[in-house]
Amino acid sequence: MTLKVAGKSNPSTVAGAIAKNVRDGKAVELVIMGPFSVNQAVKALAIARGFMKKEGKDLCCKPEFMHLLVAGAERSAIKLVVGVENSP
């Protein structure tokens, strides 16, 4: 499941979507561009992590760069791949 997080996204709503998809066993990717989007995505991850901790699970996040074509120009973005942390 790919979730695009904007600077005006509600972190609690995004967190709920993250938690629901992780519970359903789906891979979750957050696509973010710009500082305000990063801020909202990190808040959402913190909230989602709290949701999942109540269920005895912890989230992990792996950031990657990606390139998108926006209005005919290539732009850099960040993709955050979210999943349940594996215990050693």
Side-chain angles (χ1 to χ4, degrees):
M1 164 68 63
T2 300
L3 303 172
K4 296 177 185 174
V5 182
K8 294 184 179 182
S9 295
N10 181 319
S12 295
T13 302
V14 176
I18 292 167
K20 180 192 179 314
N21 283 289
V22 168
R23 282 186 200 109
D24 292 346
K26 296 179 184 172
V28 178
E29 297 178 345
L30 304 180
V31 176
I32 52 181
M33 278 179 61
F36 298 111
S37 298
V38 171
N39 182 52
Q40 298 305 81
V42 171
K43 287 180 191 176
L45 284 168
I47 294 167
R49 188 171 182 222
F51 292 160
M52 299 306 293
K53 274 196 167 189
K54 291 177 185 174
E55 299 171 21
K57 297 178 182 172
D58 199 5
L59 294 181
C60 66
C61 175
K62 297 178 183 180
E64 300 176 5
F65 283 108
M66 64 183 296
H67 302 285
L68 302 171
L69 196 60
V70 179
E74 190 173 284
R75 303 280 312 262
S76 293
I78 295 175
K79 176 171 57 172
L80 302 175
V81 180
V82 183
V84 176
E85 184 173 58
N86 293 326
S87 299

